[in-house]
Amino acid sequence: MLVHRRPLLPVCGQGGGTGVSAQPVPEDDGTRALDLAVAALDDLIRNRFPKNLPEALQVHPEFVQLYANIKELREVVAAITAGDLSRRVTQKGFCAGSLRSLQSKLRHLTWQTQMIAAGDFSQRVDFLGEFSTAFNSMTAALAKAKADLEDSERRYRLLAENVRDMIITLGFDGQVMWVSPSIGGLLGYTQEEWVGHTIDEIFAYPSAQTYKETLKRYMTPDNTANLPPTLEAQLVRKDGSTVWTETSLSALTDGEGNRTGLVGVVRDISDRKRIQDDLYRLATTDALTGALNRRHFWQLSNQEVQRSIRYGHPLSLIIMDVDHFKSFNDTYGHAAGDLVLRTLAQVGQKCIRATDVLARIGGEEFTVLLPSVCLDGAISVAERLRRTFEELRIRLDSGETISFTVSAGVAERTPADRTFEDLFRAADTALYEAKNGGRNRICFRRAEDR
Amino acid sequence: MPDRKYAFSWELLGDIDLGRPNLGPLLRLELYRLMQFTFRDVLERHYGSDMTDQLFREAGWLAGKAFYDHQIAPVESLNELVRKTQEALRTLQMGILRVEEADLNTGKFVLTVEEDLDCSGLPELDFETCKYDEGFLSAILESFTGNRYEVREVECWCTGGRSCRFAAKVVEQV
């Protein structure tokens, strides 16, 4: 040991290793010198703020070096405790080597943690006992969670990429972030042709204006709380053809639940639309002639009466009945009768405006509702129809040619007429007069006659 | 040198299973070190210390290159390089590799090897001895990055460390 190799503190007068004047220790006072050295080292090891090395001990270079080495180790230990791994250990030997090894392992742990942060969960620790076990359990759990997440994402992606519906995600800036490959089947575009573009660019055609505006209305985090159940729109395919679609919107959220955009599932509803249209047509039209049926005509007419009352516009009605229709059926057969009815509907439709409404309300009875038309105008229309039908010749499959005439009653809504039934009753009375007056004629009811 | 006797190839390691059916592939580490340190002794006497160090580095480089090709490659990322090298060194009981710093942008690496094949447990010699490792590690880094690396041991068991620390830097960007 140091004190055995040579006297701890030789008598050397004033001065010492640091250049500060030292207090000599008497040569015979070895015990006191040893006590001083022990106290200095104890102070260095125990206290947070050790005193300076006593001057009396600074005269011994090897002790000064030992003291400096322990002081350096102490500072490195303190630095490691404070998380500072950069403090250099300049000395050699077992303690210094062990400290450097600890620094090295902790630096490696830092690097491993950085790698984990970058997504590499294969990192394992093997030098820190129970901490290693806990750390390795954590990275194994993270790796499993990541694998589960990737597996889940893979399944959802597989689903999204193979579903027939088109799935589209939109940022709140209106940009398409992702669209499923099914866009090809639905609209004829590739994913690349849409991704990165805005809805202003992809829905630039006029018919998508409403659809686009509706989408835009929900493109804020707050508005996604009140998303509509579905949006129906006719979209244009890349080849110019159209397709009826139904879009279901949901809010797109990030990992923390913040709304970041919209996700839409766009479904081709062409078949449904076609069926809906067929059902609507069946429910509102007469199967034989294609004209509106009685029930639908009644609904529209009631609406027109209310509109006429509200805006003060005139509203007139013509009721037509094919003269001697029963004898047609008896003479030429029901097919010929049906042909007369179909012809009447087709030709009659051509004789009126698009805003007028032609309907078949009974066997051979037809009506024409004329919004914004006063009685004289309606009489002219009725007369035109009567004359047209009178001059019409219909060729039967048998080669025979037949003709028919109609009788018609005309009336205009008066201020006293509050319902369509009131107007209908007046026109029906006029029709009755036309029938009784010899048929193939027009009768009308002026307001003052009613 | 067209007519060399000792040009290295991986095949020179031979078919150990065939050749040592009873003794197997393992050898006491003392014998490996016996061979290495006697080589050093003889080489130093013939060529001096610096040249001996240089020859060991070059041999280590040759070994590292072949080792990368046969035991580590292919490698897609730095993480994979570290993981595969760690696994290979541990499985073959060459040492425990750890990374203190790794920056592909600056080309700077600080690596440590514990329980090193060459030096762990040696007496303190006051100088670093792992010249073979320097060449070995530089070949692995060069094989992965394509750049030429200089690896120097900055701490060794022989200088009082408990592990060997190597600082690597790019000396030629390819």
Side-chain angles (χ1 to χ4, degrees):
Chain A
M1 308 300 285
L2 195 60
V3 289
H4 294 303
R5 275 193 269 144
R6 55 187 257 182
L8 177 65
L9 297 170
V11 177
C12 56
Q14 299 293 315
T18 60
V20 180
S21 67
Q23 296 296 320
V25 178
E27 191 175 6
D28 57 351
D29 199 355
T31 304
R32 174 167 156 63
L34 190 57
D35 287 345
L36 267 177
V38 168
L41 292 176
D42 187 59
D43 181 42
L44 187 61
I45 292 168
R46 283 177 184 274
N47 294 324
R48 187 173 175 198
F49 301 108
K51 300 183 189 82
N52 289 331
L53 183 63
E55 289 180 0
L57 295 175
Q58 292 181 12
V59 294
H60 193 294
E62 291 184 359
F63 182 80
V64 170
Q65 184 59 55
L66 171 66
Y67 187 87
N69 284 351
I70 295 173
K71 192 176 178 191
E72 183 189 56
L73 294 177
R74 174 198 142 96
E75 286 167 357
V76 173
V77 168
I80 291 173
T81 308
D84 176 5
L85 303 176
S86 65
R87 190 66 67 96
R88 268 178 58 79
V89 185
T90 57
Q91 60 193 285
K92 294 181 177 174
F94 177 80
C95 286
S98 297
L99 271 183
R100 276 196 293 265
S101 179
L102 178 62
Q103 283 179 321
S104 165
K105 286 170 176 172
L106 291 175
R107 280 196 206 107
H108 178 60
L109 188 62
T110 305
W111 181 82
Q112 286 186 299
T113 309
Q114 288 166 348
M115 293 305 102
I116 290 169
D120 176 6
F121 300 135
S122 68
Q123 299 296 327
R124 296 291 182 271
V125 175
D126 58 3
F127 54 85
L128 281 173
E130 287 183 16
F131 175 83
S132 300
T133 309
F135 184 95
N136 295 342
S137 300
M138 178 192 74
T139 51
L142 284 171
K144 183 176 183 312
K146 186 185 176 196
D148 288 349
L149 191 66
E150 285 171 349
D151 188 44
S152 170
E153 190 184 333
R154 198 162 36 246
R155 273 187 276 125
Y156 276 110
R157 184 165 284 276
L158 195 68
L159 197 67
E161 290 183 348
N162 289 285
V163 73
R164 207 162 150 243
D165 294 345
M166 181 178 95
I167 300 171
I168 182 170
T169 56
L170 297 165
F172 284 137
D173 57 358
Q175 202 167 66
V176 177
M177 296 191 286
W178 184 79
V179 64
S180 61
S182 49
I183 188 175
L186 185 70
L187 297 175
Y189 289 96
T190 62
Q191 290 170 287
E192 293 72 28
E193 285 175 309
W194 271 34
V195 172
H197 293 276
T198 65
I199 58 170
D200 280 325
E201 292 166 339
I202 58 181
F203 297 128
Y205 47 93
S207 60
Q209 188 68 23
T210 308
Y211 181 68
K212 185 171 64 182
E213 294 304 324
T214 309
L215 284 179
K216 280 184 175 179
R217 206 160 49 241
Y218 296 101
M219 283 186 170
T220 66
D222 292 338
N223 284 356
T224 52
N226 303 306
L227 289 171
T230 53
L231 293 177
E232 278 190 11
Q234 204 169 22
L235 301 181
V236 177
R237 289 195 178 100
K238 191 177 180 183
D239 64 7
S241 60
T242 57
V243 57
W244 270 105
T245 61
E246 179 186 83
T247 304
S248 306
L249 290 174
S250 308
L252 195 64
T253 53
D254 63 14
E256 293 171 353
N258 301 314
R259 293 173 179 141
T260 57
L262 296 174
V263 57
V265 179
V266 185
R267 173 168 294 179
D268 180 350
I269 58 166
S270 301
D271 290 343
R272 195 175 82 197
K273 269 284 175 191
R274 216 165 10 250
I275 292 168
Q276 275 179 349
D277 289 349
D278 287 349
L279 284 173
Y280 182 79
R281 191 167 44 74
L282 287 170
T284 59
T285 60
D286 168 48
L288 176 65
T289 63
L292 294 188
N293 62 21
R294 181 186 182 95
R295 193 180 57 182
H296 189 54
F297 177 76
W298 228 259
Q299 284 173 350
L300 290 181
S301 298
N302 271 315
Q303 289 167 10
E304 285 300 331
V305 167
Q306 295 312 310
R307 196 171 289 127
S308 169
I309 292 170
R310 183 180 303 155
Y311 299 110
H313 296 162
L315 177 67
S316 296
L317 176 69
I318 303 168
I319 306 177
M320 296 183 290
D321 191 272
V322 180
D323 296 328
H324 305 297
F325 185 68
K326 187 173 179 306
S327 64
F328 256 106
N329 282 337
D330 293 343
T331 308
Y332 302 106
H334 285 281
D338 290 348
L339 183 59
V340 166
L341 297 177
R342 277 202 298 274
T343 305
L344 187 150
Q346 286 164 8
V347 174
Q349 192 68 56
K350 290 176 185 165
C351 294
I352 58 177
R353 303 170 305 172
T355 50
D356 299 334
V357 183
L358 174 76
R360 181 187 178 205
I361 60 169
E364 67 271 23
E365 202 167 43
F366 288 81
T367 51
V368 180
L369 187 70
L370 304 147
S372 303
V373 175
C374 60
L375 182 65
D376 290 340
I379 292 169
S380 298
V381 174
E383 179 56 25
R384 188 166 67 240
L385 286 165
R386 188 200 65 77
R387 204 167 44 248
T388 302
F389 295 141
E390 185 182 35
E391 293 168 357
L392 199 64
R393 297 293 176 266
I394 302 170
R395 191 176 178 82
L396 301 178
D397 289 342
S398 62
E400 289 177 275
T401 300
I402 60 171
S403 62
F404 68 95
T405 60
V406 298
S407 300
V410 185
E412 179 186 355
R413 190 187 75 79
T414 66
D417 296 337
R418 308 308 293 178
T419 65
F420 178 65
E421 280 73 13
D422 297 333
L423 176 61
F424 187 85
R425 202 175 301 115
D428 199 40
T429 303
L431 172 63
Y432 185 74
E433 288 172 6
K435 286 281 186 189
N436 285 341
R439 294 187 170 82
N440 190 20
R441 68 184 59 212
I442 307 296
C443 286
F444 50 86
R445 298 282 285 175
R446 290 196 182 277
E448 54 270 28
D449 300 330
R450 293 164 57 182
Chain B
M1 203 186 299
D3 52 350
R4 290 182 58 200
K5 270 173 74 177
Y6 298 121
F8 176 75
S9 74
W10 193 257
E11 287 67 36
L12 277 176
L13 301 181
D15 186 341
I16 294 170
D17 290 340
L18 176 69
R20 289 170 58 100
N22 298 305
L23 296 177
L26 300 180
L27 177 77
R28 289 280 302 198
L29 186 61
E30 294 93 319
L31 294 175
Y32 165 79
R33 288 183 178 175
L34 178 68
M35 185 168 74
Q36 182 177 133
F37 286 98
T38 51
F39 263 128
R40 271 182 208 264
D41 182 300
V42 174
L43 287 169
E44 186 181 39
R45 275 190 277 123
H46 282 270
Y47 303 111
S49 302
D50 290 345
M51 179 53 75
T52 300
D53 288 347
Q54 183 56 30
L55 292 173
F56 262 76
R57 264 188 217 107
E58 286 185 24
W61 190 94
L62 205 54
K65 177 77 174 63
F67 189 81
Y68 179 90
D69 292 342
H70 290 87
Q71 298 286 318
I72 298 175
V75 173
E76 297 290 331
S77 66
L78 175 63
N79 283 9
E80 192 182 2
L81 173 75
V82 172
R83 184 171 50 75
K84 282 187 163 181
T85 310
Q86 279 178 323
E87 284 172 5
L89 294 188
R90 186 178 269 268
T91 304
L92 298 172
Q93 301 180 12
M94 294 165 74
I96 299 169
L97 176 72
R98 295 200 172 96
V99 179
E100 289 188 18
E101 283 180 58
D103 190 337
L104 279 176
N105 294 324
T106 61
K108 190 182 171 197
F109 287 80
V110 177
L111 309 169
T112 61
V113 180
E114 273 192 18
E115 301 186 30
D116 182 64
L117 185 68
D118 288 350
C119 73
S120 292
L122 257 62
E124 287 198 20
L125 299 171
D126 221 27
F127 55 83
E128 290 82 11
T129 64
C130 301
K131 307 302 170 191
Y132 193 84
D133 284 355
E134 288 177 354
F136 190 90
L137 291 173
S138 67
I140 286 178
L141 292 174
E142 284 177 34
S143 298
F144 173 65
T145 63
N147 299 323
R148 209 160 70 75
Y149 269 84
E150 181 184 270
V151 176
R152 286 292 177 264
E153 189 179 31
V154 293
E155 189 182 330
C156 179
W157 184 285
C158 296
T159 57
R162 297 299 95 182
S163 60
C164 298
R165 178 184 279 124
F166 298 91
K169 63 179 182 184
V170 174
V171 289
E172 187 183 341
Q173 195 101 26
V174 177

